[in-house]
């Protein structure tokens, strides 16, 4: 089974640093952020393979938003 990591705050800072570290270790990534466009630009600049990441719009201050992103990731 492939390793999948769900990361919130993936549009900058610690979220991006974690995403890059785990991507390099072979994980597939579910990247949640309010600024999904920033995540897509970052992923493109770092050469992430399209089949190893997905981006989900979510705001950690809104529980329903995170739950929806998690459900979308699982489906």
């Amino acid at each position: 089974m492939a390793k999948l990591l769900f990361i919130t705050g993936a549009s900058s800072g610690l979220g991006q640093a974690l995403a890059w570290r785990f991507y390099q270790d072979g994980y597939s990534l579910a990247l949640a952020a309010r600024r999904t466009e920033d995540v897509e630009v970052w992923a493109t600049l770092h050469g992430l393979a399209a089949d190893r990441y997905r981006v989900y719009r979510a705001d950690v201050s809104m529980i329903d938003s995170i739950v929806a992103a998690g459900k979308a990731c699982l489906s």
Side-chain angles (χ1 to χ4, degrees), residues 17-58:
L18 288 170
W20 182 240
R21 172 71 167 88
F22 282 98
Y23 181 84
Q24 290 177 309
D25 282 348
Y27 283 76
S28 291
L29 306 172
L31 303 172
R34 289 177 295 147
R35 299 184 320 264
T36 57
E37 302 82 14
D38 292 352
V39 178
E40 291 289 357
V41 168
W42 173 84
T44 299
L45 289 174
H46 283 79
L48 272 64
D51 64 341
R52 288 197 40 214
Y53 80 96
R54 296 286 181 272
V55 179
Y56 302 92
R57 185 173 306 278

